[in-house]
PDB file of all heavy atoms in Angstrom:
ATOM      1  N   PHE W 125     118.497  77.938  86.136  1.00  0.00           N
ATOM      2  CA  PHE W 125     117.221  78.074  86.563  1.00  0.00           C
ATOM      3  C   PHE W 125     116.772  76.946  87.369  1.00  0.00           C
ATOM      4  O   PHE W 125     116.953  75.775  87.079  1.00  0.00           O
ATOM      5  CB  PHE W 125     116.206  78.254  85.242  1.00  0.00           C
ATOM      6  CG  PHE W 125     114.867  78.586  85.667  1.00  0.00           C
ATOM      7  CD1 PHE W 125     114.578  79.906  85.816  1.00  0.00           C
ATOM      8  CD2 PHE W 125     113.830  77.675  85.814  1.00  0.00           C
ATOM      9  CE1 PHE W 125     113.234  80.355  86.151  1.00  0.00           C
ATOM     10  CE2 PHE W 125     112.512  78.079  86.184  1.00  0.00           C
ATOM     11  CZ  PHE W 125     112.271  79.370  86.273  1.00  0.00           C
ATOM     12  N   LEU W 126     116.198  77.282  88.512  1.00  0.00           N
ATOM     13  CA  LEU W 126     115.687  76.254  89.453  1.00  0.00           C
ATOM     14  C   LEU W 126     114.229  76.277  89.496  1.00  0.00           C
ATOM     15  O   LEU W 126     113.497  77.312  89.570  1.00  0.00           O
ATOM     16  CB  LEU W 126     116.221  76.576  90.864  1.00  0.00           C
ATOM     17  CG  LEU W 126     117.770  76.791  91.110  1.00  0.00           C
ATOM     18  CD1 LEU W 126     118.177  77.182  92.457  1.00  0.00           C
ATOM     19  CD2 LEU W 126     118.505  75.559  90.582  1.00  0.00           C
ATOM     20  N   ARG W 127     113.747  75.038  89.491  1.00  0.00           N
ATOM     21  CA  ARG W 127     112.256  74.817  89.511  1.00  0.00           C
ATOM     22  C   ARG W 127     111.949  73.670  90.574  1.00  0.00           C
ATOM     23  O   ARG W 127     112.781  73.067  90.938  1.00  0.00           O
ATOM     24  CB  ARG W 127     111.804  74.453  88.135  1.00  0.00           C
ATOM     25  CG  ARG W 127     112.199  73.165  87.596  1.00  0.00           C
ATOM     26  CD  ARG W 127     111.456  72.638  86.321  1.00  0.00           C
ATOM     27  NE  ARG W 127     110.067  72.678  86.594  1.00  0.00           N
ATOM     28  CZ  ARG W 127     109.285  71.696  87.183  1.00  0.00           C
ATOM     29  NH1 ARG W 127     109.894  70.676  87.784  1.00  0.00           N
ATOM     30  NH2 ARG W 127     108.004  71.774  87.310  1.00  0.00           N
ATOM     31  N   ALA W 128     110.624  73.466  90.796  1.00  0.00           N
ATOM     32  CA  ALA W 128     110.218  72.342  91.543  1.00  0.00           C
ATOM     33  C   ALA W 128     108.619  72.193  91.442  1.00  0.00           C
ATOM     34  O   ALA W 128     108.015  73.259  90.968  1.00  0.00           O
ATOM     35  CB  ALA W 128     110.531  72.611  93.116  1.00  0.00           C
ATOM     36  N   ALA W 129     108.105  71.193  91.722  1.00  0.00           N
ATOM     37  CA  ALA W 129     106.757  70.886  91.556  1.00  0.00           C
ATOM     38  C   ALA W 129     106.048  71.913  92.605  1.00  0.00           C
ATOM     39  O   ALA W 129     106.501  72.286  93.643  1.00  0.00           O
ATOM     40  CB  ALA W 129     106.341  69.530  92.025  1.00  0.00           C
ATOM     41  N   GLU W 130     104.827  72.224  92.227  1.00  0.00           N
ATOM     42  CA  GLU W 130     104.066  73.288  92.985  1.00  0.00           C
ATOM     43  C   GLU W 130     103.913  72.755  94.437  1.00  0.00           C
ATOM     44  O   GLU W 130     104.060  73.595  95.305  1.00  0.00           O
ATOM     45  CB  GLU W 130     102.682  73.594  92.326  1.00  0.00           C
ATOM     46  CG  GLU W 130     101.984  74.663  93.092  1.00  0.00           C
ATOM     47  CD  GLU W 130     100.573  75.070  92.398  1.00  0.00           C
ATOM     48  OE1 GLU W 130     100.719  75.290  91.220  1.00  0.00           O
ATOM     49  OE2 GLU W 130      99.597  75.120  92.958  1.00  0.00           O
ATOM     50  N   ASP W 131     103.509  71.560  94.595  1.00  0.00           N
ATOM     51  CA  ASP W 131     103.228  71.068  95.970  1.00  0.00           C
ATOM     52  C   ASP W 131     104.558  71.112  96.835  1.00  0.00           C
ATOM     53  O   ASP W 131     104.395  71.474  98.021  1.00  0.00           O
ATOM     54  CB  ASP W 131     102.748  69.524  96.008  1.00  0.00           C
ATOM     55  CG  ASP W 131     101.331  69.418  95.447  1.00  0.00           C
ATOM     56  OD1 ASP W 131     100.656  70.433  95.429  1.00  0.00           O
ATOM     57  OD2 ASP W 131     100.961  68.305  95.133  1.00  0.00           O
ATOM     58  N   THR W 132     105.708  70.875  96.200  1.00  0.00           N
ATOM     59  CA  THR W 132     106.914  70.998  96.898  1.00  0.00           C
ATOM     60  C   THR W 132     107.186  72.449  97.338  1.00  0.00           C
ATOM     61  O   THR W 132     107.614  72.723  98.453  1.00  0.00           O
ATOM     62  CB  THR W 132     107.996  70.498  96.060  1.00  0.00           C
ATOM     63  OG1 THR W 132     107.845  69.069  95.805  1.00  0.00           O
ATOM     64  CG2 THR W 132     109.464  70.672  96.645  1.00  0.00           C
ATOM     65  N   ARG W 133     106.918  73.399  96.454  1.00  0.00           N
ATOM     66  CA  ARG W 133     107.228  74.828  96.641  1.00  0.00           C
ATOM     67  C   ARG W 133     106.167  75.255  97.718  1.00  0.00           C
ATOM     68  O   ARG W 133     106.628  76.087  98.557  1.00  0.00           O
ATOM     69  CB  ARG W 133     107.102  75.585  95.339  1.00  0.00           C
ATOM     70  CG  ARG W 133     108.167  75.195  94.345  1.00  0.00           C
ATOM     71  CD  ARG W 133     108.240  76.254  93.214  1.00  0.00           C
ATOM     72  NE  ARG W 133     107.194  76.031  92.414  1.00  0.00           N
ATOM     73  CZ  ARG W 133     106.409  77.003  91.723  1.00  0.00           C
ATOM     74  NH1 ARG W 133     106.761  78.344  92.118  1.00  0.00           N
ATOM     75  NH2 ARG W 133     105.523  76.803  90.876  1.00  0.00           N
ATOM     76  N   VAL W 134     105.039  74.808  97.741  1.00  0.00           N
ATOM     77  CA  VAL W 134     103.987  75.230  98.719  1.00  0.00           C
ATOM     78  C   VAL W 134     104.531  74.841 100.163  1.00  0.00           C
ATOM     79  O   VAL W 134     104.505  75.590 101.047  1.00  0.00           O
ATOM     80  CB  VAL W 134     102.570  74.610  98.537  1.00  0.00           C
ATOM     81  CG1 VAL W 134     101.822  74.805  99.753  1.00  0.00           C
ATOM     82  CG2 VAL W 134     102.018  75.380  97.270  1.00  0.00           C
ATOM     83  N   LYS W 135     104.994  73.686 100.309  1.00  0.00           N
ATOM     84  CA  LYS W 135     105.605  73.209 101.547  1.00  0.00           C
ATOM     85  C   LYS W 135     106.750  74.065 101.937  1.00  0.00           C
ATOM     86  O   LYS W 135     106.919  74.360 103.182  1.00  0.00           O
ATOM     87  CB  LYS W 135     105.852  71.725 101.446  1.00  0.00           C
ATOM     88  CG  LYS W 135     104.772  70.803 101.276  1.00  0.00           C
ATOM     89  CD  LYS W 135     105.181  69.333 101.279  1.00  0.00           C
ATOM     90  CE  LYS W 135     104.073  68.409 100.978  1.00  0.00           C
ATOM     91  NZ  LYS W 135     104.390  67.004 100.877  1.00  0.00           N
ATOM     92  N   THR W 136     107.604  74.362 101.043  1.00  0.00           N
ATOM     93  CA  THR W 136     108.851  75.100 101.359  1.00  0.00           C
ATOM     94  C   THR W 136     108.359  76.541 101.785  1.00  0.00           C
ATOM     95  O   THR W 136     108.887  77.173 102.770  1.00  0.00           O
ATOM     96  CB  THR W 136     109.771  75.289 100.034  1.00  0.00           C
ATOM     97  OG1 THR W 136     110.113  73.950  99.758  1.00  0.00           O
ATOM     98  CG2 THR W 136     110.854  76.214 100.299  1.00  0.00           C
ATOM     99  N   ILE W 137     107.362  77.137 101.225  1.00  0.00           N
ATOM    100  CA  ILE W 137     106.946  78.551 101.394  1.00  0.00           C
ATOM    101  C   ILE W 137     106.240  78.553 102.851  1.00  0.00           C
ATOM    102  O   ILE W 137     106.459  79.403 103.571  1.00  0.00           O
ATOM    103  CB  ILE W 137     105.858  78.955 100.345  1.00  0.00           C
ATOM    104  CG1 ILE W 137     106.683  79.224  99.103  1.00  0.00           C
ATOM    105  CG2 ILE W 137     105.164  80.239 100.850  1.00  0.00           C
ATOM    106  CD1 ILE W 137     105.910  79.436  97.832  1.00  0.00           C
ATOM    107  N   MET W 138     105.406  77.438 103.073  1.00  0.00           N
ATOM    108  CA  MET W 138     104.843  77.484 104.403  1.00  0.00           C
ATOM    109  C   MET W 138     105.831  77.362 105.527  1.00  0.00           C
ATOM    110  O   MET W 138     105.756  78.062 106.672  1.00  0.00           O
ATOM    111  CB  MET W 138     103.968  76.112 104.471  1.00  0.00           C
ATOM    112  CG  MET W 138     102.631  76.273 103.569  1.00  0.00           C
ATOM    113  SD  MET W 138     101.682  74.718 103.518  1.00  0.00           S
ATOM    114  CE  MET W 138     100.899  74.796 105.256  1.00  0.00           C
ATOM    115  N   ALA W 139     106.851  76.576 105.309  1.00  0.00           N
ATOM    116  CA  ALA W 139     108.026  76.437 106.314  1.00  0.00           C
ATOM    117  C   ALA W 139     108.708  77.787 106.493  1.00  0.00           C
ATOM    118  O   ALA W 139     109.016  78.423 107.727  1.00  0.00           O
ATOM    119  CB  ALA W 139     108.790  75.200 106.097  1.00  0.00           C
ATOM    120  N   ARG W 140     109.106  78.329 105.347  1.00  0.00           N
ATOM    121  CA  ARG W 140     110.042  79.444 105.362  1.00  0.00           C
ATOM    122  C   ARG W 140     109.280  80.741 105.906  1.00  0.00           C
ATOM    123  O   ARG W 140     110.083  81.553 106.674  1.00  0.00           O
ATOM    124  CB  ARG W 140     110.451  79.686 103.886  1.00  0.00           C
ATOM    125  CG  ARG W 140     111.294  80.960 103.782  1.00  0.00           C
ATOM    126  CD  ARG W 140     111.769  81.261 102.392  1.00  0.00           C
ATOM    127  NE  ARG W 140     112.458  82.506 102.247  1.00  0.00           N
ATOM    128  CZ  ARG W 140     112.848  83.030 101.056  1.00  0.00           C
ATOM    129  NH1 ARG W 140     112.366  82.384  99.901  1.00  0.00           N
ATOM    130  NH2 ARG W 140     113.375  84.118 100.993  1.00  0.00           N
ATOM    131  N   PHE W 141     108.117  80.977 105.571  1.00  0.00           N
ATOM    132  CA  PHE W 141     107.386  82.018 106.022  1.00  0.00           C
ATOM    133  C   PHE W 141     106.366  81.952 107.156  1.00  0.00           C
ATOM    134  O   PHE W 141     105.685  82.808 107.631  1.00  0.00           O
ATOM    135  CB  PHE W 141     106.627  82.742 104.868  1.00  0.00           C
ATOM    136  CG  PHE W 141     107.555  83.169 103.758  1.00  0.00           C
ATOM    137  CD1 PHE W 141     107.698  82.430 102.536  1.00  0.00           C
ATOM    138  CD2 PHE W 141     108.322  84.400 103.747  1.00  0.00           C
ATOM    139  CE1 PHE W 141     108.524  82.734 101.501  1.00  0.00           C
ATOM    140  CE2 PHE W 141     109.216  84.793 102.838  1.00  0.00           C
ATOM    141  CZ  PHE W 141     109.331  83.968 101.618  1.00  0.00           C
ATOM    142  N   ASN W 142     106.548  80.660 107.746  1.00  0.00           N
ATOM    143  CA  ASN W 142     105.620  80.318 108.861  1.00  0.00           C
ATOM    144  C   ASN W 142     104.168  80.402 108.572  1.00  0.00           C
ATOM    145  O   ASN W 142     103.404  81.192 109.363  1.00  0.00           O
ATOM    146  CB  ASN W 142     106.131  81.148 110.138  1.00  0.00           C
ATOM    147  CG  ASN W 142     105.502  80.501 111.391  1.00  0.00           C
ATOM    148  OD1 ASN W 142     105.166  79.208 111.472  1.00  0.00           O
ATOM    149  ND2 ASN W 142     105.193  81.364 112.321  1.00  0.00           N
ATOM    150  N   ILE W 143     103.696  80.050 107.401  1.00  0.00           N
ATOM    151  CA  ILE W 143     102.412  80.148 106.932  1.00  0.00           C
ATOM    152  C   ILE W 143     101.706  78.762 107.351  1.00  0.00           C
ATOM    153  O   ILE W 143     102.096  77.773 106.787  1.00  0.00           O
ATOM    154  CB  ILE W 143     102.325  80.464 105.348  1.00  0.00           C
ATOM    155  CG1 ILE W 143     102.904  81.769 105.160  1.00  0.00           C
ATOM    156  CG2 ILE W 143     100.786  80.449 105.032  1.00  0.00           C
ATOM    157  CD1 ILE W 143     103.082  82.086 103.684  1.00  0.00           C
ATOM    158  N   ALA W 144     100.534  78.931 108.168  1.00  0.00           N
ATOM    159  CA  ALA W 144      99.895  77.707 108.497  1.00  0.00           C
ATOM    160  C   ALA W 144      98.887  77.279 107.469  1.00  0.00           C
ATOM    161  O   ALA W 144      98.673  76.005 107.332  1.00  0.00           O
ATOM    162  CB  ALA W 144      99.127  77.989 109.809  1.00  0.00           C
ATOM    163  N   SER W 145      98.364  78.152 106.551  1.00  0.00           N
ATOM    164  CA  SER W 145      97.405  77.713 105.639  1.00  0.00           C
ATOM    165  C   SER W 145      97.949  77.382 104.239  1.00  0.00           C
ATOM    166  O   SER W 145      98.738  78.166 103.748  1.00  0.00           O
ATOM    167  CB  SER W 145      96.343  78.818 105.465  1.00  0.00           C
ATOM    168  OG  SER W 145      95.509  78.647 104.206  1.00  0.00           O
ATOM    169  N   GLU W 146      97.758  76.172 103.875  1.00  0.00           N
ATOM    170  CA  GLU W 146      98.201  75.787 102.482  1.00  0.00           C
ATOM    171  C   GLU W 146      97.552  76.746 101.434  1.00  0.00           C
ATOM    172  O   GLU W 146      98.201  77.034 100.435  1.00  0.00           O
ATOM    173  CB  GLU W 146      97.812  74.402 102.180  1.00  0.00           C
ATOM    174  CG  GLU W 146      98.363  73.796 100.872  1.00  0.00           C
ATOM    175  CD  GLU W 146      98.096  72.295 100.560  1.00  0.00           C
ATOM    176  OE1 GLU W 146      98.291  71.603 101.437  1.00  0.00           O
ATOM    177  OE2 GLU W 146      97.688  71.918  99.515  1.00  0.00           O
ATOM    178  N   GLU W 147      96.436  77.042 101.578  1.00  0.00           N
ATOM    179  CA  GLU W 147      95.659  77.983 100.535  1.00  0.00           C
ATOM    180  C   GLU W 147      96.483  79.254 100.511  1.00  0.00           C
ATOM    181  O   GLU W 147      96.636  79.795  99.396  1.00  0.00           O
ATOM    182  CB  GLU W 147      94.202  78.266 101.063  1.00  0.00           C
ATOM    183  CG  GLU W 147      93.464  79.033  99.982  1.00  0.00           C
ATOM    184  CD  GLU W 147      92.067  79.332 100.415  1.00  0.00           C
ATOM    185  OE1 GLU W 147      91.574  78.670 101.344  1.00  0.00           O
ATOM    186  OE2 GLU W 147      91.328  80.145  99.760  1.00  0.00           O
ATOM    187  N   ALA W 148      96.743  79.872 101.673  1.00  0.00           N
ATOM    188  CA  ALA W 148      97.480  81.168 101.737  1.00  0.00           C
ATOM    189  C   ALA W 148      98.866  81.072 101.053  1.00  0.00           C
ATOM    190  O   ALA W 148      99.292  81.990 100.382  1.00  0.00           O
ATOM    191  CB  ALA W 148      97.596  81.639 103.220  1.00  0.00           C
ATOM    192  N   ALA W 149      99.524  79.829 101.277  1.00  0.00           N
ATOM    193  CA  ALA W 149     100.864  79.717 100.635  1.00  0.00           C
ATOM    194  C   ALA W 149     100.836  79.623  99.075  1.00  0.00           C
ATOM    195  O   ALA W 149     101.511  80.080  98.402  1.00  0.00           O
ATOM    196  CB  ALA W 149     101.363  78.399 101.133  1.00  0.00           C
TER     197      ALA W 149
END
Side-chain angles (χ1 to χ4, degrees):
F125 188 80
L126 303 181
R127 66 168 309 280
E130 184 174 310
D131 287 346
T132 299
R133 293 191 287 140
V134 166
K135 291 177 182 177
T136 299
I137 292 166
M138 291 175 71
R140 178 182 174 189
F141 297 102
N142 196 27
I143 299 174
S145 165
E146 182 176 315
E147 181 181 354

